[in-house]
């Protein structure tokens, strides 16, 4: 089972749209897909017409469950969506409290990985939508991941938080002695503007290994699909933004994970302050 996390420490960059649309393409290709909403705002859950504040059970209950977690408990919370091959583990606002109260619980960063390991026979692909902040929920997602997808809006301010996201990933890899394949995806690209073109050029120059060679253009059909609660590939497959996500999905399926320099990871980890290192030691 592959686990793809969609994350960025900046909001409004297209995380939920990316996760849902890629999941839609995977399901269309015959895969059994589980979408996981780890954001307390519940954007992914709302996408499919659910009301996170009214849900009896959600991902928060799993993350905060006392004692062993069973496969039956997880499947009782998973929602079967009205699209073949797509299921959802929804979110609720109680994740906000969980984020605040669980920061000092040793080993808490491993819970989601343990949950997903019980579902390996049920799903081929898991796509996790993260909150736009570094915390125990994003750590859980990164620890459980085989791949990280980082949507970056094509604007100058998005680049400022992106460097912090890169360091976060390197610290996870260092802590777990593993390599997470990461793919940077330029989103909301308007090629008519100089600012967008400059941002994409900067990404290409600074992150040539991680950067997807394509981009996701601005496309109102993506917004329309979310308003209707339909994966964009099923709503308007010929739209330019939707076709771009189709190209991204095919790229991700074919991509071979690139190995990173251990010495570079050690250097990045060593540069972190002591409080950050202590936080990671507790969480992971």
């Amino acid at each position: 089972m592959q686990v793809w996390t969609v994350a960025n420490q900046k909001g409004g960059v297209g995380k939920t749209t990316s996760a849902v649309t890629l999941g839609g393409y995977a399901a269309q290709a015959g895969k059994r897909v589980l979408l996981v909403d780890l954001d307390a705002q519940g954007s992914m859950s709302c996408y499919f017409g659910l009301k996170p504040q009214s849900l009896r059970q959600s991902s928060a209950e799993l993350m905060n469950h006392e004692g062993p977690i069973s496969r039956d408990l997880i499947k009782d919370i998973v929602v079967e969506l009205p699209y073949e091959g797509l299921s959802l583990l929804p979110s609720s606002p109680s994740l906000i409290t969980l984020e605040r109260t669980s920061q000092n619980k040793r080993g808490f960063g491993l819970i989601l990985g343990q949950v997903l390991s019980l579902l390996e026979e049920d799903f081929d692909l898991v796509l996790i939508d993260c909150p736009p902040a570094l915390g125990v929920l994003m750590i859980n997602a990164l620890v459980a991941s085989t791949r990280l997808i980082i949507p970056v809006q094509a604007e100058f301010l998005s680049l400022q938080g992106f460097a912090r996201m890169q360091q976060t990933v390197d610290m996870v890899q260092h802590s777990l002695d593993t390599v997470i394949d990461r793919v940077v995806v330029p989103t909301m690209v308007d090629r008519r503007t100089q600012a967008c073109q400059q941002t994409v050029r900067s990404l290409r120059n600074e992150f040539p290994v991680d950067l997807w060679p394509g981009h996701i253009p601005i496309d109102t059909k993506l917004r329309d699909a979310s308003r209707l609660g339909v994966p964009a590939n099923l709503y308007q497959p010929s739209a330019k933004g939707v076709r771009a996500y189709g190209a991204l999905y095919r790229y991700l399926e074919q991509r071979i994970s690139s190995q990173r320099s251990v010495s570079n990871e050690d250097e990045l980890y060593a540069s972190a302050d002591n409080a950050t290192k202590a936080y990671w030691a507790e969480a992971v």
Side-chain angles (χ1 to χ4, degrees), residues 2 4 145-148 173 179-183 209-210 251-260:
Q2 290 288 304
W4 298 357
S145 295
T146 54
R147 166 173 286 153
L148 171 65
Q173 293 187 146
V179 174
I180 302 172
D181 180 39
R182 71 188 86 172
V183 180
V209 175
D210 298 332
Y251 171 84
L252 293 171
E253 283 289 282
Q254 297 168 2
R255 177 181 169 96
I256 299 175
S257 299
S258 57
Q259 297 297 314
R260 295 183 157 267

Side-chain angles (χ1 to χ4, degrees), residues 34 55-59 61-62 65 69-80 87-90 115 119 122-123:
L34 175 64
L55 293 176
R56 181 177 59 87
Q57 294 186 101
S58 69
S59 56
E61 278 65 47
L62 279 180
H65 184 72
I69 298 175
S70 69
R71 182 169 171 270
D72 288 340
L73 173 62
I74 304 169
K75 299 206 74 176
D76 187 49
I77 299 175
V78 170
V79 175
E80 298 300 324
S87 303
L88 171 69
L89 182 59
V115 168
L119 301 176
D122 301 290
F123 298 100

Side-chain angles (χ1 to χ4, degrees), residues 42-251:
S43 296
M44 180 181 274
S45 302
C46 292
Y47 189 113
F48 292 105
L50 301 179
K51 296 180 179 179
Q53 67 275 15
S54 302
L55 293 176
R56 181 177 59 87
Q57 294 186 101
S58 69
S59 56
E61 278 65 47
L62 279 180
M63 300 293 290
N64 203 33
H65 184 72
E66 296 290 340
I69 298 175
S70 69
R71 182 169 171 270
D72 288 340
L73 173 62
I74 304 169
K75 299 206 74 176
D76 187 49
I77 299 175
V78 170
V79 175
E80 298 300 324
L81 297 172
Y83 306 105
E84 186 175 358
L86 278 179
S87 303
L88 171 69
L89 182 59
S91 168
S92 72
S94 55
L95 283 171
I96 297 175
T97 303
L98 187 68
E99 183 78 71
R100 185 174 62 251
T101 59
S102 301
Q103 291 189 9
N104 296 320
K105 290 184 179 179
R106 189 171 186 84
F108 189 81
L110 304 173
I111 291 178
L112 182 61
Q114 295 166 356
V115 168
L116 296 180
S117 69
L118 298 174
L119 301 176
E120 288 193 1
E121 296 181 1
D122 301 290
F123 298 100
D124 304 303
L125 175 64
V126 177
L127 276 153
I128 305 170
D129 189 20
C130 285
L134 172 60
V136 294
L137 296 174
M138 185 182 289
I139 291 173
N140 265 275
L142 293 175
V143 169
S145 295
T146 54
R147 166 173 286 153
L148 171 65
I149 300 163
I150 310 174
V152 179
Q153 185 179 358
E155 63 162 19
F156 175 74
L157 292 177
S158 291
L159 296 178
Q160 306 309 300
F162 181 59
R164 293 193 298 273
M165 186 72 212
Q166 291 283 74
Q167 186 183 60
T168 295
V169 180
D170 283 303
M171 292 180 70
V172 170
Q173 293 187 146
H174 185 279
S175 298
L176 299 179
D177 191 25
T178 189
V179 174
I180 302 172
D181 180 39
R182 71 188 86 172
V183 180
V184 179
V185 179
T187 59
M188 306 180 191
V189 175
D190 185 349
R191 299 183 66 180
R192 298 170 298 179
T193 69
Q194 288 293 326
C196 273
Q197 293 183 35
Q198 180 58 48
T199 301
V200 173
R201 280 197 295 269
S202 297
L203 287 170
R204 187 173 295 119
N205 291 335
E206 295 182 41
F207 309 101
V209 175
D210 298 332
L211 185 68
W212 174 46
H215 67 269
I216 307 297
I218 291 176
D219 189 343
T220 59
K221 297 301 182 184
L222 294 169
R223 185 173 62 235
D224 292 343
S226 67
R227 179 173 54 84
L228 296 172
V230 182
N233 62 301
L234 300 179
Y235 169 67
Q236 194 65 264
S238 62
K240 61 181 180 179
V242 182
R243 287 189 285 110
Y245 273 114
L248 173 60
Y249 175 72
R250 292 188 293 273
Y251 171 84

Side-chain angles (χ1 to χ4, degrees), residues 255-270:
R255 177 181 169 96
I256 299 175
S257 299
S258 57
Q259 297 297 314
R260 295 183 157 267
S261 165
V262 173
S263 59
N264 185 47
E265 291 176 23
D266 289 343
E267 181 181 347
L268 284 166
Y269 183 76

